[in-house]
């Protein structure tokens, strides 16, 4: 790595509206206090997070680059120009760890291509924390992101993941838009076999945290309200 170049810090954020230093190590605070240039998904929430971590930091000194689904890929190299000029840059996710189910992965890829040192900081990943808590196969698992929106396609994909789980002894992880979570759990219970295990992990690290692994037949008897609650689903058929 070129020592004259700035570093790209991958800065985790909280998974909800809790105090940052309850779930983040002091190293995150130290980096934020020393960094004024950021790549973020949402400027308002990023500034609020930075202020919570470092209340004395001058917001007017911050340089913010927006990276979201509306960002044109052609301008991404501009976001790393500060690094090429010797300035450290922080990459912030909207929730959890940058680069995991997050558009920040494109920036990290570009940093490697430009020989910029990438430094990941410790923080909460809802995907890994759900997997840790599930009691399923931590030796072999796959994160599948969002499943299809179309009803029939989604049901076929749920069934395919169940089959893959059985054939490879591999836990299958996926997510849904929070306002469709209840429908997702309903589809899971309608499609999967009664003995297939399902972990539902929502509001991770928050006071309302709920993590439970049960068979499909058990879920059918005791459903939970997941509406608008960030949720990770994991299935495993033995």
């Amino acid at each position: 790595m070129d020592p004259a170049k700035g570093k790209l810090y991958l800065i985790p954020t909280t998974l909800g509206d809790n105090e940052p230093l309850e779930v983040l190590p002091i190293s995150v605070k130290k980096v934020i206090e020393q960094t004024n240039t950021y790549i973020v998904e949402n400027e308002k929430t990023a500034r609020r997070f930075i202020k919570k971590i470092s209340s004395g930091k001058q917001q007017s000194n911050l340089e913010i680059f927006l990276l979201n689904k509306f960002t044109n890929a052609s301008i991404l190299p501009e976001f790393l120009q500060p690094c090429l000029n010797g300035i450290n840059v922080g990459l912030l996710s909207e929730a959890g760890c940058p680069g995991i189910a997050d558009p920040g992965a494109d920036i990290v890829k570009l940093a490697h291509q430009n020989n910029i040192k990438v430094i990941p900081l410790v923080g909460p990943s809802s995907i890994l924390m759900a997997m840790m808590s599930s009691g399923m196969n931590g030796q072999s698992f796959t994160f599948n992101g969002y499943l299809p929106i179309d009803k029939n396609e989604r049901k076929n994909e749920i069934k395919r993941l169940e089959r893959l789980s059985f054939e490879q002894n591999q836990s299958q992880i996926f997510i849904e838009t929070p306002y469709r979570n209840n429908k997702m759990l309903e589809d899971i219970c309608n499609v999967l076999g009664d003995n297939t295990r399902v972990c539902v992990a929502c509001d991770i690290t928050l006071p309302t945290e709920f993590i439970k692994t049960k068979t499909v037949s058990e879920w059918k008897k005791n459903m939970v309200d997941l509406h608008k609650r960030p949720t990770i689903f994991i299935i495993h058929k033995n």
Side-chain angles (χ1 to χ4, degrees), residues 1 80 107-118:
M1 298 296 172
L80 289 176
I107 288 293
V108 177
K109 177 182 177 182
L110 202 56
H112 286 298
Q113 291 172 351
N114 284 275
N115 206 31
I116 294 168
K117 186 171 184 178
V118 176

Side-chain angles (χ1 to χ4, degrees), residues 117-133:
K117 186 171 184 178
V118 176
I119 301 179
L121 301 183
V122 174
S125 165
S126 59
I127 299 166
L128 287 180
M129 294 177 80
M131 191 64 227
M132 289 163 57
S133 308

Side-chain angles (χ1 to χ4, degrees), residues 142-155:
T142 296
F143 175 62
N144 298 278
Y146 292 94
L147 302 193
I149 295 176
D150 179 82
K151 181 178 180 180
N152 290 328
E153 289 180 8
R154 184 171 63 250
K155 288 184 176 181

Side-chain angles (χ1 to χ4, degrees), residues 1 60 183 196 200 236:
M1 298 296 172
S60 59
K183 182 60 179 174
T196 296
V200 173
H236 198 119

Side-chain angles (χ1 to χ4, degrees), residues 114-213:
N114 284 275
N115 206 31
I116 294 168
K117 186 171 184 178
V118 176
I119 301 179
L121 301 183
V122 174
S125 165
S126 59
I127 299 166
L128 287 180
M129 294 177 80
M131 191 64 227
M132 289 163 57
S133 308
S134 69
M136 296 183 184
N137 190 356
Q139 296 284 351
S140 180
F141 53 88
T142 296
F143 175 62
N144 298 278
Y146 292 94
L147 302 193
I149 295 176
D150 179 82
K151 181 178 180 180
N152 290 328
E153 289 180 8
R154 184 171 63 250
K155 288 184 176 181
N156 287 337
E157 180 65 5
I158 292 171
K159 197 68 180 175
R160 187 187 74 84
L161 293 178
E162 180 186 43
R163 184 170 62 252
L164 192 63
S165 171
F166 178 73
E167 293 172 350
Q168 300 190 13
N169 188 28
Q170 184 180 75
S171 300
Q172 302 295 326
I173 311 170
F174 50 92
I175 54 178
E176 179 56 283
T177 303
Y179 68 85
R180 290 201 293 258
N181 279 335
N182 284 340
K183 182 60 179 174
M184 173 62 80
L185 184 56
E186 181 183 320
D187 286 346
I188 287 171
C189 289
N190 288 335
V191 170
L192 300 184
D194 281 347
N195 293 324
T196 296
R197 288 184 296 152
V198 178
C199 176
V200 173
C202 74
D203 292 344
I204 293 175
T205 74
L206 300 179
T208 54
E209 179 180 87
F210 175 90
I211 304 173
K212 186 71 70 174
T213 297

